[in-house]
Amino acid sequence: MSIRIAVIGTGIMGWAHARIVAEDMPGAELKVVCDADFSKARRVADELGASDVSTDASTIAAREDVDAVIIASPDATHPTLCLETIRHRKFILCEKPLAPDVKGCLEVIEAETAAGRRLVQVGFMRRFDPSYVEMKSELREGVVGSALMLHCVHRNVSAPPDFKGFMAVSNSAPHEFDIARYVLDTDIAAISVFQPKGFDAKTVAPIFMVVETTGGQLVNIEVNNNAGYGYDVRGELVGAAGSITLAAPIHTRVNADLASFERYPVDWIPRFADAYRLQNKAWLRAVQTGSWHPDAASCWDGYWASLVAEAGVKALETKSRVQLNAVERPPIYA
Ligand code: ISE
């Protein structure tokens, strides 16, 4: 019996998830494509062979022909749609962020705790990226000794029209906040945020963060949403006895015009194509079996990403180091 999946949202991520469901998730069926704009939903449904379209996201979870829901609608709608879907006890893959603020994350955590079981996986797909997975396992093997620092670079070609400077912290960097917790197996104690001279929190410009973990490690994160040359995500974990460097999935090297070069991807979809496929397949197995992949990001991980993001925006705006105070972890996320 196929798992009938509804995808809410037909933006860059909604398209990407709908395509993976339709083309690369045996055991799943793309049942409904939902978008407030009927023509967008119709176009994705027609191209990918979905059975139905909808323009009302609030009705999706109640549908008897939908078993599970992928939420890839605008960030602000995520918590409400999670709450509605949890109310119907259906599994959710919620694109990051779980909620744009900590309050929204805690509301979803409260609902999931009341439901007595995990139903939500948050779309921190880098946890399924083969290079980050290998970085974590090499660290666990003790190859480079104890982890001391993690250097992160996260560069986009260009920021979307409505992007503001602080969104480098609240929208882009949550991937690094989460992957640091995943790779280092730790939580976050404090964050400091800097920009080169002459920029403010509204100006889209390179942002440099220093994150202190509760394990005593240092994580530095550069985010540049207008790097211009390509989508470039780098990472180097520094241990007491060596280091582990992330390798991007480069498949060809071009030799032409007396030059030899590799091409950068245009955005995160091709760079993390394997990660999205593996993430979505792991989520489908959880829907089918009720047991979660150990790397799957839970609502607790979604809460931490928003907690660090909120602290990071405050650190940017106040030009100060901000310490984090997390709530106690509910037992269902142990
Ligand atoms: C975007 O929202 C993402 O999630 C991408 O993975 C990230 O690279 C990009 O910077 C964000 O804006």
Side-chain angles (χ1 to χ4, degrees):
M1 179 80 168
S2 275
I3 300 292
R4 300 164 296 176
I5 293 175
V7 174
I8 303 177
T10 60
I12 183 169
M13 288 316 305
W15 265 90
H17 284 300
R19 190 182 301 283
I20 294 170
V21 173
E23 299 175 355
D24 205 347
M25 284 170 75
E29 175 194 350
L30 182 61
K31 191 70 185 174
V32 186
V33 174
C34 175
D35 194 288
D37 180 326
F38 176 79
S39 61
K40 287 181 181 175
R42 184 76 269 166
R43 191 166 62 242
V44 173
D46 290 347
E47 176 178 332
L48 298 174
S51 317
D52 198 5
V53 297
S54 167
T55 56
D56 184 353
S58 67
T59 65
I60 295 296
R63 288 178 64 134
E64 290 185 3
D65 61 350
V66 168
D67 302 311
V69 181
I70 296 179
I71 299 171
S73 43
D75 296 359
T77 66
H78 292 184
T80 305
L81 292 172
C82 280
L83 292 173
E84 176 64 14
T85 312
I86 288 169
R87 201 165 66 80
H88 286 87
R89 298 295 187 269
K90 292 185 180 176
F91 278 72
I92 303 161
L93 176 58
C94 180
E95 256 304 320
K96 48 70 72 179
L98 174 62
D101 53 31
V102 165
K103 177 176 176 293
C105 292
L106 290 173
E107 287 167 359
V108 179
I109 283 177
E110 188 181 342
E112 204 173 33
T113 303
R117 62 177 302 197
R118 277 182 55 189
L119 290 166
V120 184
Q121 180 171 332
V122 181
F124 286 115
M125 77 295 175
R126 293 191 190 184
R127 290 162 167 255
F128 293 87
D129 175 64
S131 47
Y132 278 114
V133 171
E134 200 163 289
M135 177 182 273
K136 183 181 173 84
S137 67
E138 292 285 2
L139 176 62
R140 271 196 171 152
E141 292 297 311
V143 176
V144 295
S146 59
L148 303 176
M149 293 173 284
L150 180 62
H151 301 306
C152 306
V153 167
H154 180 166
R155 296 174 181 156
N156 287 261
V157 173
S158 61
D162 54 350
F163 210 83
K164 299 280 182 289
F166 70 89
M167 292 170 74
V169 181
S170 62
N171 175 278
S172 301
H175 282 293
E176 274 76 20
F177 301 153
D178 179 69
I179 209 68
R181 289 184 60 245
Y182 165 74
V183 169
L184 301 174
D185 198 16
T186 184
D187 282 324
I188 308 298
I191 182 167
S192 306
V193 183
F194 308 91
Q195 277 189 299
K197 197 168 165 49
F199 296 103
D200 62 24
K202 291 188 178 53
T203 324
V204 179
I207 283 204
F208 189 84
M209 292 160 253
V210 177
V211 169
E212 300 162 62
T213 75
T214 50
Q217 296 106 346
L218 292 176
V219 179
N220 66 271
I221 306 167
E222 174 215 316
V223 173
N224 183 353
N225 297 97
N226 279 327
Y229 65 85
Y231 185 77
D232 186 7
V233 167
R234 307 181 192 181
E236 181 181 17
L237 185 145
V238 179
S243 79
I244 306 164
T245 303
L246 221 49
I250 301 287
H251 304 298
T252 57
R253 191 168 181 78
V254 180
N255 302 299
D257 303 332
L258 303 181
S260 177
F261 56 92
E262 295 161 357
R263 292 189 187 281
Y264 281 99
V266 67
D267 61 30
W268 54 92
I269 301 290
R271 167 63 184 80
F272 291 108
D274 283 344
Y276 283 115
R277 271 193 293 273
L278 292 166
Q279 169 193 257
N280 290 26
K281 289 168 185 274
W283 175 70
L284 178 63
R285 271 194 300 282
V287 177
Q288 290 166 330
T289 65
S291 64
W292 293 95
H293 189 288
D295 294 337
S298 68
C299 284
W300 181 246
D301 301 305
Y303 159 72
W304 262 104
S306 293
L307 182 69
V308 182
E310 267 188 14
V313 171
K314 182 179 173 189
L316 173 64
E317 288 170 347
T318 59
K319 296 188 176 16
S320 62
R321 174 179 178 271
V322 175
Q323 287 186 280
L324 284 86
N325 295 303
V327 299
E328 198 161 319
R329 179 164 61 179
I332 67 165
Y333 304 113

